Amino acid sequence: MLDFFTIFSKGGIVLWCFQGAGVTESFTGPVNALIRSVILQERGGNNSFTHEALSLKYKLDNEFELIFVVGFQKILTLTYVDKFIDDVQLHFRDRYKNELEQKGTLKLLNSTFAFEDAFSELLKLAEESSKARSPVPMRSFKESEKSQKTVKSMIETKGGDKGKEQGGKKSKNTKKEGECCLLRVVVRMFGSLLHSVANVLKSPKPQKPKEKQKRVWDNAGSSDKNLDYSDKNGAGSGDGEKNLEAQFDPVCSTSKELAVGAEASASLTMKRGGGFGGMFGMLKGLVGSKSLSRDDMEPVLEKMRDHLIAKNVAADIASQLCDSVAKKLEGKVMGTFTTVASTVKQALQDSLVQILQPKRRVDILRDVMEAQSQRRPFVITFCGVNGVGKSTNLAKISYWLIENGFSVLIAACDTFRAGAVEQLRTHQRRLNSLHPPEKHGGRPVVQLYEKGYGKDAAGIAMEAIAYARNQAFDVVLVDTAGRMQDNAPLMTALAKLIAVNMPDLVLFVGEALVGNEAVDQLVKFNQALADHSMSDKPRLIDGIVLTKFDTIDDKVGAAISMTYITGQPIVFVGTGQTYNDLRSLNARAVVSALMKA
């Protein structure tokens, strides 16, 4: 029933693999997709992954840097897979522990892992145990609670209101009775206190110690027994001398007691089987032989989760990040003289940097030059919710492109908001004043293509792209109307615009001020684009423009939330109101601000 099972190192060396009977397709595609989309992107909070018709489950072994992956058809419900992958991990570790401890790529390549027989036995046991589990039978009517009810208990009487009144009176009486009981308890406690004081006063005074027997040196007429001053319990004269020494030398007595106490504690430790194990165990924990467990990390992760939420990271994303870090560190041996807190913090910091440097890098200048070589314009579409600054940041990107020597055509496809076309016309006029046509062969570097209000946005975008191709413009920037992610008709119109015109780049413009709302916006924008697309591989959001970044101080969590949800990079960051206030994101600076207390 399993399609494949593979064990490979984090360095990419396949140690062992299994392919089910009748399975002809290679499993490299699904496994590579898992590595690219989950493991490299630090999304290990959930141990399952879906790729086309396959469902994949994986487990990380952080001590030996191994990854165990099992794949099966997603239409199947295999309840034993989680336990099975745990059993395989434990057996493989125990069986090849010596080979795995030899670090080095060449040593792993030279090692042989004959694991077929053990794997087949484990798989057989897992399938038999799943079949042996009988379904829970339904309860009969007599076993249910309804059968215990009588008809009388279900009949409502007319005196229900009176019953309520009586109940109310009863509650008042109960209150009075409670007060009386409290008073009785106080009186009893006071009486017992007085009785105790009286007993103390009546108790007899402590008796004086008996006087010690005086020595009589005149032994006339006395027997030899009178000269025996040894302890009556059987101690000899030597003990008497020791007692005298202790009487006149308190320092000596104290030192002897200390020595005896130390001896007793040492013997007690040896009896318990510890010996010097306590001290060596403490040193062993300090010098880095302790492997991390989930219980060790839980208090630190809880604080990290609250810290991330306080820095504007969405609550769900913060929980997933902490779960991913826990899975990444579980079973890993700590470094020398490092604490759990510092280890978890460093791992979280590395994960955040990795998230902000996603798998796809957007290089607009390179892509524009490639489009130039094909004699076509490079098309960028801007989308987002209302009031986030789409038109303003479109003008900033226009200025950036002009500074790099490209000509720009702005398509005014926001035919809904009043003043949208006039705003773009103002930006066009200002940009042309900064770069006069005289310096560019008498041709304006920025032009506006608009058809007024109330027209079809997808049609205007198509006409603008055709016009740019004919007039040899380098870049077309398509401005769209702001829309909330829950507005189905407007989301359908946006999906139509993107599906018809197939832009080279779809940029989502979002505010740096949002917290949990960023997750909802991006998920629903992507979902709408996928649902209303006409192709099997729909165009989704390719990058993010984060606006108002200068207003949030160190609460930069929105950058993490947006990148984590889409898996796409933050292309630009808006840091002010002028055309120059456009920056690329510095991932390490953002993570440093995020981790700052």
Side-chain angles (χ1 to χ4, degrees), residues 507-523:
L507 294 180
F508 177 84
V509 184
E511 283 183 328
L513 302 167
V514 295
N516 292 320
E517 187 69 12
V519 177
D520 192 48
Q521 288 175 6
L522 282 162
V523 167

Side-chain angles (χ1 to χ4, degrees), residues 143 268 381:
E143 294 172 346
L268 182 62
T381 299

Side-chain angles (χ1 to χ4, degrees), residues 525-547:
F525 262 82
N526 263 335
Q527 190 64 45
L529 294 178
D531 290 344
H532 300 99
S533 177
M534 300 174 186
S535 65
D536 295 334
K537 294 183 178 180
R539 284 299 306 279
L540 304 179
I541 291 168
D542 299 316
I544 299 165
V545 178
L546 204 56
T547 66

Side-chain angles (χ1 to χ4, degrees), residues 364 397 400 507 544-547 570-574 582-585:
I364 294 177
I397 293 172
W400 175 71
L507 294 180
I544 299 165
V545 178
L546 204 56
T547 66
I570 294 175
V571 183
F572 294 111
V573 174
L582 194 69
R583 301 285 184 272
S584 58
L585 188 73

Side-chain angles (χ1 to χ4, degrees), residues 469-485:
R469 186 180 291 109
N470 295 332
Q471 298 297 320
F473 279 94
D474 299 322
V475 185
V476 178
L477 303 181
V478 181
D479 185 32
T480 62
R483 62 205 77 211
M484 296 306 293
Q485 64 270 22

Side-chain angles (χ1 to χ4, degrees), residues 398-406 427-446 579-580:
S398 300
Y399 178 76
W400 175 71
L401 289 167
I402 295 165
E403 288 286 315
N404 284 280
F406 299 113
H427 283 305
Q428 177 215 359
R429 190 168 57 248
R430 292 190 62 190
L431 289 169
N432 280 324
S433 66
L434 293 172
H435 290 271
E438 294 79 17
K439 294 182 179 180
H440 298 275
R443 178 187 174 182
V445 288
V446 183
Y579 291 134
N580 289 317

Side-chain angles (χ1 to χ4, degrees), residues 267-449:
S267 64
L268 182 62
T269 307
M270 294 295 288
K271 282 178 184 176
R272 288 178 180 172
F276 296 100
M279 183 180 297
F280 284 120
M282 185 173 65
L283 289 173
K284 195 176 177 183
L286 283 174
V287 297
S289 61
K290 177 178 169 53
S291 60
L292 285 171
S293 67
R294 188 65 184 251
D295 294 337
D296 296 333
M297 294 183 284
E298 196 58 42
V300 183
L301 288 172
E302 192 66 34
K303 290 180 181 178
M304 290 292 180
R305 189 181 293 111
D306 295 340
H307 177 77
L308 290 175
I309 293 171
K311 290 297 180 95
N312 222 13
V313 178
D316 291 343
I317 305 299
S319 299
Q320 291 176 34
L321 280 170
C322 291
D323 291 342
S324 177
V325 169
K327 285 198 172 183
K328 184 179 176 182
L329 292 178
E330 194 170 1
K332 193 169 186 178
V333 177
M334 289 174 58
T336 307
F337 295 103
T338 56
T339 62
V340 176
S342 63
T343 305
V344 172
K345 186 176 179 181
Q346 186 60 46
L348 181 61
Q349 195 164 339
D350 294 342
S351 298
L352 293 172
V353 171
Q354 188 66 35
I355 287 167
L356 288 174
Q357 295 172 344
K359 54 187 177 182
R360 183 173 181 270
R361 182 173 177 268
V362 177
D363 191 340
I364 294 177
L365 298 179
R366 183 196 61 191
D367 295 341
V368 171
M369 286 189 285
E370 186 179 346
Q372 273 183 332
S373 65
Q374 299 171 6
R375 295 185 179 180
R376 66 174 184 84
F378 185 80
V379 183
I380 304 175
T381 299
F382 295 81
C383 62
V385 300
N386 307 79
V388 294
K390 289 185 296 299
S391 301
T392 303
N393 283 275
L394 181 146
K396 291 180 183 179
I397 293 172
S398 300
Y399 178 76
W400 175 71
L401 289 167
I402 295 165
E403 288 286 315
N404 284 280
F406 299 113
S407 57
V408 178
L409 178 69
I410 300 174
C413 296
D414 185 355
T415 62
F416 181 76
R417 177 172 63 91
V421 177
E422 288 76 13
Q423 181 184 6
L424 291 176
R425 188 176 289 117
T426 303
H427 283 305
Q428 177 215 359
R429 190 168 57 248
R430 292 190 62 190
L431 289 169
N432 280 324
S433 66
L434 293 172
H435 290 271
E438 294 79 17
K439 294 182 179 180
H440 298 275
R443 178 187 174 182
V445 288
V446 183
Q447 288 190 30
L448 178 67
Y449 190 92

